[in-house]
Amino acid sequence: MKLYGIPNCNTVKKARDWLDQHAIQYEFHDFKKLGLDTATAQSWLQQQPWEKLINRSGMTWRNLSDAEKNAVIDAASAQTLMQEKTSVIKRPIVMKDHQIITIGFKEADYVQLFAKE
């Protein structure tokens, strides 16, 4: 299982803390250090609509120019933005067996998802 995010994000910290407290093994992928490769971005966009993957209420999105925001109209333009500005991606994203199993962190969702782990 792999958790994607940035280490200083409060939501990512909550998810990591929860997983650690429940002794659930995961690999952490730091967007700031490792970026987002094309294959992963394309896979995510095949599994989820871009509107679910881009955090349009976060600071990174709000700091984009109107032209940049208006340019995101489909999966291809969303992919470009996600790879150029990884902080715009909603986080954390948890993947298992090459499938997104959750986006964001809600403790109740984690309890349900990982009860069998």
Side-chain angles (χ1 to χ4, degrees):
M1 184 169 74
K2 189 180 272 193
L3 185 143
Y4 290 81
I6 57 177
N8 63 341
C9 170
N10 287 333
T11 309
V12 171
K13 286 178 187 177
K14 288 176 189 175
R16 294 179 75 186
D17 287 346
W18 192 94
L19 292 169
D20 291 343
Q21 288 169 3
H22 293 84
I24 297 171
Q25 297 289 317
Y26 65 93
E27 175 185 345
F28 180 64
H29 180 100
D30 182 348
F31 285 141
K32 292 292 185 190
K33 290 182 181 173
L34 303 171
L36 178 66
D37 64 78
T38 300
T40 301
Q42 288 174 343
S43 172
W44 290 357
L45 288 161
Q46 290 169 357
Q47 295 177 50
Q48 296 288 330
W50 69 266
E51 294 90 346
K52 286 191 175 186
L53 293 166
I54 291 182
N55 181 2
R56 291 182 283 172
S57 62
M59 288 302 299
T60 302
W61 178 264
R62 289 186 292 208
N63 288 333
L64 295 175
S65 69
D66 287 341
E68 288 173 304
K69 291 176 189 172
N70 293 332
V72 182
I73 57 169
D74 58 16
S77 55
Q79 178 183 331
T80 299
L81 178 63
M82 288 165 53
Q83 289 187 268
E84 290 175 358
K85 299 184 185 295
T86 54
S87 294
V88 80
I89 300 169
K90 188 166 183 162
R91 38 190 199 268
I93 293 179
V94 179
M95 294 200 59
K96 188 172 184 178
D97 300 324
H98 305 287
Q99 296 296 310
I100 294 174
I101 59 173
T102 187
I103 300 172
F105 174 75
K106 291 183 183 164
E107 186 170 357
D109 292 346
Y110 273 51
V111 168
Q112 184 177 356
L113 283 168
F114 300 112
K116 301 172 213 138
E117 297 287 327

